[in-house]
Amino acid sequence: GNPGTGKTSLARIMARLLHRIEITPTDYLKEVQRPDLVAEHVGQTGPKTLAVIEDAKRGVLFIDEAYRLSSGSKNDFGREAIETLMGAMNETPGKAPVMIFAGYKQDMAEFMRANEGLYRRISYTFDFCDYTPEDLALILELLTTSKGFSLEPNLIQDDRRELARIIHENTAPRARSLMNGGLCERVFDAAKQNLDARDDPALPSVVLGGQDILAACCALPTPPEPEHLPGPLPPLDAGPSA
């Protein structure tokens, strides 16, 4: 899934759930990316990856942007890390961690093709969809409340219809796709700045109004356009083309 869709948050929840149902001995979650697994010199990647596996063996190992392990050449050390991880996948929880691989949908499809052993060993795949304006309105309300602020009542009436409308009409679809939940953090911070600018310092308010949210949405920078739009990948069992 795209950034901000909750992959890391769900991994943390999964670590707790797996421990609660006694699949893993602890609820420990170790979050890593390529630099935590791959070394710069020959012969160092295997031991480095094994050390990470050893540290996480009693819980869950979360590999974010996992596709970066297979994005280099055939001689790239990332492939050695993949093979080391696959070797540990044959062990039971407690001897090796439960592993969660995360990344962009298209890139993760290519990652699964990097080694046939991954396809055999990874049993479940979950797609994290982009949030709708209605979803973002709910997230923004929850975030605002958690920060000790509130939204004007008209913004949250009828299941936050007005708040969702402002987000829908004043943010670019690509910005929402690139940021998802992260967009709400940016909107909240900018809305708070707008409130501070118009507020009476002697009587500070903690209520964000529609004008604050509108100003915050309009202040978001235009997202960069993609360099290319890749075509669909062939199915996993596709043979050579004629």
Side-chain angles (χ1 to χ4, degrees), residues 71-170:
S71 60
S73 66
K74 291 184 178 180
N75 297 323
D76 184 79
F77 297 146
R79 297 180 184 273
E80 181 181 352
I82 293 175
E83 292 173 0
T84 305
L85 290 169
M86 285 196 305
M89 289 182 194
N90 296 323
E91 301 290 345
T92 57
K95 294 183 177 180
V98 173
M99 298 187 195
I100 300 176
F101 299 85
Y104 294 101
K105 182 176 181 179
Q106 187 81 2
D107 291 322
M108 290 304 293
E110 295 176 357
F111 171 73
M112 292 288 284
R113 291 180 175 84
N115 190 307
E116 292 181 354
L118 287 172
Y119 179 65
R120 292 196 305 271
R121 289 173 172 83
I122 298 178
S123 304
Y124 302 98
T125 302
F126 302 93
D127 291 334
F128 287 71
C129 299
D130 289 339
Y131 291 130
T132 65
E134 289 75 20
D135 295 330
L136 294 173
L138 173 57
I139 294 171
L140 181 56
E141 181 186 10
L142 294 173
L143 175 63
T144 300
T145 303
S146 72
K147 299 290 187 178
F149 287 74
S150 63
L151 297 166
E152 285 183 344
N154 68 298
L155 292 174
I156 56 178
Q157 291 174 350
D158 300 324
D159 290 330
R160 297 163 293 277
R161 178 180 298 179
E162 178 62 13
L163 183 58
R165 183 194 66 79
I166 293 175
I167 293 173
H168 174 72
E169 294 181 358
N170 298 281

Side-chain angles (χ1 to χ4, degrees), residues 4-238:
T5 49
K7 300 184 295 295
T8 303
S9 296
L10 187 58
R12 293 167 181 162
I13 294 172
M14 285 295 298
R16 296 196 295 269
L17 287 176
L18 289 172
H19 174 56
R20 182 174 297 179
I21 62 176
E22 301 182 348
I23 299 295
T24 56
T26 72
D27 62 357
Y28 177 56
L29 175 76
K30 186 173 183 65
E31 302 176 30
V32 299
Q33 293 188 0
R34 176 187 165 98
D36 302 301
L37 302 171
V38 179
E40 297 180 358
H41 303 289
V42 175
Q44 294 181 347
T45 292
K48 187 173 184 177
T49 302
L50 284 173
V52 170
I53 293 171
E54 176 67 20
D55 181 50
K57 70 179 182 180
R58 295 176 62 79
V60 173
L61 177 59
F62 178 72
I63 302 100
D64 196 14
E65 298 183 352
Y67 55 86
R68 295 176 58 200
L69 293 174
S70 61
S71 60
S73 66
K74 291 184 178 180
N75 297 323
D76 184 79
F77 297 146
R79 297 180 184 273
E80 181 181 352
I82 293 175
E83 292 173 0
T84 305
L85 290 169
M86 285 196 305
M89 289 182 194
N90 296 323
E91 301 290 345
T92 57
K95 294 183 177 180
V98 173
M99 298 187 195
I100 300 176
F101 299 85
Y104 294 101
K105 182 176 181 179
Q106 187 81 2
D107 291 322
M108 290 304 293
E110 295 176 357
F111 171 73
M112 292 288 284
R113 291 180 175 84
N115 190 307
E116 292 181 354
L118 287 172
Y119 179 65
R120 292 196 305 271
R121 289 173 172 83
I122 298 178
S123 304
Y124 302 98
T125 302
F126 302 93
D127 291 334
F128 287 71
C129 299
D130 289 339
Y131 291 130
T132 65
E134 289 75 20
D135 295 330
L136 294 173
L138 173 57
I139 294 171
L140 181 56
E141 181 186 10
L142 294 173
L143 175 63
T144 300
T145 303
S146 72
K147 299 290 187 178
F149 287 74
S150 63
L151 297 166
E152 285 183 344
N154 68 298
L155 292 174
I156 56 178
Q157 291 174 350
D158 300 324
D159 290 330
R160 297 163 293 277
R161 178 180 298 179
E162 178 62 13
L163 183 58
R165 183 194 66 79
I166 293 175
I167 293 173
H168 174 72
E169 294 181 358
N170 298 281
T171 59
R174 180 162 171 76
R176 298 196 294 269
S177 178
L178 287 174
M179 300 174 70
N180 283 288
L183 181 141
C184 296
E185 296 177 354
R186 294 279 292 272
V187 168
F188 172 78
D189 289 340
K192 182 179 178 299
Q193 291 176 10
N194 194 76
L195 174 62
D196 291 340
R198 68 177 181 83
D199 209 3
D200 181 358
L203 296 171
S205 173
V206 293
V207 180
L208 298 176
Q211 59 183 311
D212 301 314
I213 304 299
L214 176 60
C217 290
C218 294
L220 291 172
T222 302
E225 291 299 324
E227 294 182 0
H228 64 281
L229 295 174
L233 292 171
L236 286 166
D237 58 352

